[in-house]
């Protein structure tokens, strides 16, 4: 066993694993097992879809899934079978998990429009959370999350697991931090396009799905579906009502790497944000005042070429039409990195002139590096839960990148360039655009702050 793994196991024994008296039904047996294996972490899952299940499988050796909440009963039950052998307690309303005193750590993997509310309520209930990206649908939700995180001191890891791909993205960032590319001039985040759907008919809500609760804070609309396309599971990400489309779905990953690089190079500007954002975007439906005029089909941008201007003539380009990955260009050289490769002359030069031994550890905040990718991302989160350190994908750095993605979305929807005051976190000289920093929550689904 490697030193880091041993160290990790030592540091992840959790108070949360202690058995508590009020487990009901089948959960008794799992509570007892967890108490016996006192180095395991008791987890509550909110949102038992593709990512919720996949994430918890990748952390399976360190955790016990004790409770699962999903608004789709069939999904909760099948997740219970696959993640907990049927021993977890299943709920429709996630707030029942927030009330459980035996669960201190949560995984939130609901659709994007359902991240901010449970995340804030979980922090206020004293829980640490691994929450999927993108954390928010709006810039103002991010302000609130950051405020509550500071006030509560909870440990929040965002699901941007590229930050735990040590030989790819983290190494690329370490090269930037070590000056191997020189002064950064341009970064391109190529994130791919998005599909269109054509009109989807309003159909009967599937058995077991609480559609009103799935919609939650979003406006009440019909359930729509045809074949494998719908305004619900999986394809929610192509509707502005529930997501930012590709600009936040993949932007949350690659723009995060771009902004991380700028910050390590000391070139993200005094207030950590851009000056302007503009360019072109194509949508599958017409837009009026920033909102789609047809409401029965996918509506997020299918293609885009957006330019983000940072202070000091640094350009960040977000586009759909080139090889998925991040290109970082400096006055000493250029590298390309994605989930499969890290290339470029400065990478080849490492053979003769390697990075200092601690270069990768340093940009990884000297947190333990256990494995690689998603498992490593979970390992560092669980380590931080124990030590109360700030994880690698903290809410503050995430929102600095996600603000750029949201501004890109607002610019694309309005079809014009925006000016951004990074200090005040306001769009300047455009009240219509500035109003899009927030969204209204549907009655009955407001965030419970107390
Ligand atoms: N980090 C990554 O690389 C990555 C990859 C894929 C997805 N994701 C993110 O994970 C999240 C989920 O994506 P997915 O593809 O698994 O979606 P999905 O639609 O398959 O699953 C979401 C689940 O959440 C449930 N849900 C909705 N509202 C709920 C509520 N109020 N309480 C409890 N459950 C609720 C749904 O019923 C569904 O089962 C998204 O935010 C997405 O961006 C991240």
């Amino acid at each position: 066993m490697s030193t880091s793994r041993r160290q990790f196991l030592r540091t992840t024994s959790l108070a949360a694993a202690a058995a508590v008296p009020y487990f009901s039904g089948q959960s008794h047996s799992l509570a007892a097992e967890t108490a016996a294996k006192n180095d395991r972490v008791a987890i509550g899952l909110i949102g038992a879809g593709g990512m919720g299940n996949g994430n918890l499988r990748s952390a399976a050796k360190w955790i016990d899934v004790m409770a699962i909440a999903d608004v789709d009963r069939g999904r909760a039950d099948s997740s219970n079978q696959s993640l907990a052998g049927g021993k977890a307690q299943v709920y429709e309303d996630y707030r029942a998990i927030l009330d459980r005193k035996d669960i201190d750590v949560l995984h939130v993997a609901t659709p994007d429009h359902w991240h901010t509310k449970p995340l804030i309520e979980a922090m206020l209930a004293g829980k640490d959370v691994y929450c999927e990206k993108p954390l928010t649908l709006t810039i103002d939700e991010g302000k609130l999350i950051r405020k509550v995180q500071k006030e509560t001191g909870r440990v929040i890891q965002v699901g941007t697991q590229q930050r735990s791909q040590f030989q790819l993205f983290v190494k690329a960032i370490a090269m930037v931090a070590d000056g191997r590319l020189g002064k950064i001039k341009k970064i391109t985040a190529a994130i791919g396009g998005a599909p269109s759907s054509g009109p989807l008919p309003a159909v009967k809500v599937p058995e077991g799905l609480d559609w009103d609760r799935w919609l939650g804070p979003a406006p009440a609309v019909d359930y729509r579906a045809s074949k494998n396309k719908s305004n619900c599971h999986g394809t929610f990400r192509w509707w502005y009502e529930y997501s930012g489309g590709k600009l936040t779905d993949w932007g949350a990953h690659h723009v995060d790497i771009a902004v991380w690089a700028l910050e390590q190079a000391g070139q993200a500007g005094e207030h950590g944000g851009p000056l302007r954002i503009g360019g072109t975007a194509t949508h599958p439906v017409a837009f009026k005042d920033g909102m789609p005029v047809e409401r029965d089909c996918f509506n997020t941008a299918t293609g885009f070429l957006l330019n983000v201007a940072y202070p000091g003539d640094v350009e960040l380009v977000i586009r759909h039409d080139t090889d998925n990955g991040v290109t970082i260009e400096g006055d000493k050289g250029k590298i390309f990195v994605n989930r499969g490769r890290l290339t470029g002359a400065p990478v080849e030069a490492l053979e003769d002139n390697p990075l200092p031994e601690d270069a990768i550890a340093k940009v990884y905040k000297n947190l333990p590096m256990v494995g690689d990718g998603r498992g490593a991302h979970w390992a560092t989160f669980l380590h931080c839960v124990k030590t109360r350190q700030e994880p690698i994908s903290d809410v503050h750095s995430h929102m600095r990148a996600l603000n750029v993605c949201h501004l890109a979305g607002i610019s694309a929807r309005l079809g014009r360039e925006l000016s951004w005051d990074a200090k005040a976190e306001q769009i300047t000289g455009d009240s219509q655009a500035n109003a899009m920093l927030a969204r209204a929550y549907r009655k009955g689904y407001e965030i419970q702050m107390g």
Side-chain angles (χ1 to χ4, degrees):
M1 190 189 283
S2 71
T3 311
S4 54
R5 162 102 175 111
R6 224 177 288 126
Q7 181 189 4
F8 172 73
L9 286 176
R10 253 204 320 272
T11 53
T12 51
S13 67
L14 269 213
V20 279
Y22 67 105
F23 272 100
S24 63
Q26 291 178 300
S27 294
H28 274 301
S29 53
L30 185 59
E33 283 168 31
T34 304
K37 301 178 258 164
N38 66 3
D39 59 348
R40 296 176 70 83
V41 181
I43 295 268
L45 169 63
I46 302 175
M51 203 55 189
N53 287 309
N55 268 327
L56 294 191
R57 268 196 289 276
S58 70
K61 52 182 174 257
W62 305 304
I63 61 165
D64 285 315
V65 181
M66 311 288 282
I68 297 172
D70 200 294
V71 297
D72 186 329
R73 181 74 205 201
R75 284 188 157 213
D77 286 343
S78 101
S79 184
N80 187 15
Q81 288 308 320
S82 72
L83 296 175
K87 294 175 186 168
Q89 191 77 44
V90 165
Y91 305 96
E92 184 178 310
D93 188 338
Y94 68 87
R95 289 173 297 188
I97 303 185
L98 304 189
D99 290 340
R100 284 198 36 180
K101 301 282 178 275
D102 58 320
I103 298 175
D104 293 339
V105 184
L106 303 181
H107 176 34
V108 173
T110 43
D112 308 356
H113 68 294
W114 253 120
H115 287 171
T116 300
K117 178 174 155 62
L119 174 57
I120 286 178
E121 291 169 0
M123 287 192 276
L124 293 171
K127 316 292 183 192
D128 298 322
V129 186
Y130 184 120
C131 184
E132 262 313 331
K133 45 55 60 176
L135 273 192
T136 73
L137 277 201
T138 69
I139 287 176
D140 279 1
E141 287 175 325
K143 294 175 190 165
L144 189 59
I145 288 174
R146 281 154 41 206
K147 179 172 178 286
V148 174
Q149 190 281 328
K150 273 194 181 156
E151 283 168 5
T152 59
R154 301 325 303 178
V155 172
I156 311 300
Q157 172 89 306
V158 185
T160 44
Q161 71 278 0
Q162 290 185 166
R163 281 189 176 230
S164 295
Q165 284 198 274
F166 303 115
Q167 292 308 314
L168 295 166
F169 296 101
V170 190
K171 189 169 183 179
I173 298 295
M175 290 177 69
V176 172
D178 200 54
R180 299 305 173 101
L181 307 191
K183 185 173 179 299
I184 304 303
K185 295 169 165 311
K186 178 176 174 182
I187 304 187
T188 303
I191 59 179
S196 51
S197 68
L200 298 176
V203 294
K204 191 170 169 289
V205 175
E207 193 68 33
L209 172 64
D210 183 337
W211 178 234
D212 189 75
R213 193 174 282 281
W214 187 96
L215 288 167
V221 296
D222 288 330
Y223 175 83
R224 295 184 178 276
S226 173
K227 300 191 179 133
N228 56 356
K229 293 174 176 169
S230 75
N231 55 352
C232 186
H233 298 325
T235 47
F236 67 83
R237 44 177 57 72
W238 314 130
W239 303 75
Y240 272 123
E241 294 85 340
Y242 320 118
S243 170
K246 209 55 176 277
L247 290 170
T248 58
D249 193 49
W250 266 86
H253 286 302
H254 284 354
V255 173
D256 177 54
I257 297 301
V259 173
W260 193 12
L262 288 179
E263 289 178 354
Q264 288 291 327
Q267 291 183 248
E270 191 191 347
H271 304 295
L275 303 169
R276 290 178 307 281
I277 184 154
T280 56
T282 321
H283 291 91
V285 294
F287 272 65
K288 187 172 183 305
D289 296 329
M291 291 306 290
V293 292
E294 291 150 58
R295 305 306 280 264
D296 58 355
C297 51
F298 294 175
N299 56 37
T300 60
T302 48
F304 36 80
L305 177 56
L306 295 155
N307 297 81
V308 187
Y310 271 83
D313 274 338
V314 183
E315 187 185 16
L316 164 55
V317 179
I318 307 172
R319 62 192 306 160
H320 75 279
D321 56 347
T322 54
D323 206 5
N324 178 298
V326 184
T327 305
I328 310 175
E329 297 173 57
D331 58 11
K332 287 197 203 159
K334 165 167 137 179
I335 58 175
F336 173 84
V337 61
N338 67 14
R339 293 183 183 182
R341 65 182 200 277
L342 170 62
T343 55
V347 180
E348 285 154 31
L350 293 178
E351 215 163 292
D352 295 328
N353 183 16
L355 285 170
E357 218 171 288
D358 63 348
I360 290 178
K362 245 161 83 180
V363 294
Y364 202 63
K365 301 182 187 170
N366 291 313
L367 293 164
M369 292 184 274
V370 182
D372 194 59
R374 200 155 60 164
H377 211 55
W378 270 88
T380 190
F381 166 60
L382 295 172
H383 169 84
C384 291
V385 165
K386 177 71 183 164
T387 62
R388 311 314 294 169
Q389 284 166 278
E390 186 177 70
I392 192 65
S393 290
D394 62 283
V395 300
H396 307 281
S397 60
H398 177 73
M399 285 313 306
R400 287 195 295 275
L402 195 62
N403 280 356
V404 173
C405 303
H406 285 320
L407 290 170
I410 297 169
S411 168
R413 286 161 67 177
L414 290 172
R416 58 180 181 256
E417 188 179 80
L418 308 175
S419 296
W420 178 241
D421 177 340
K423 185 171 183 220
E425 293 189 276
Q426 296 286 311
I427 294 168
T428 50
D430 190 332
S431 54
Q432 185 181 38
N434 208 50
M436 291 166 75
L437 299 187
R439 63 168 168 148
Y441 275 50
R442 191 155 59 101
K443 199 165 177 321
Y445 288 99
E446 300 90 348
I447 299 170
Q448 299 303 310
M449 294 299 295

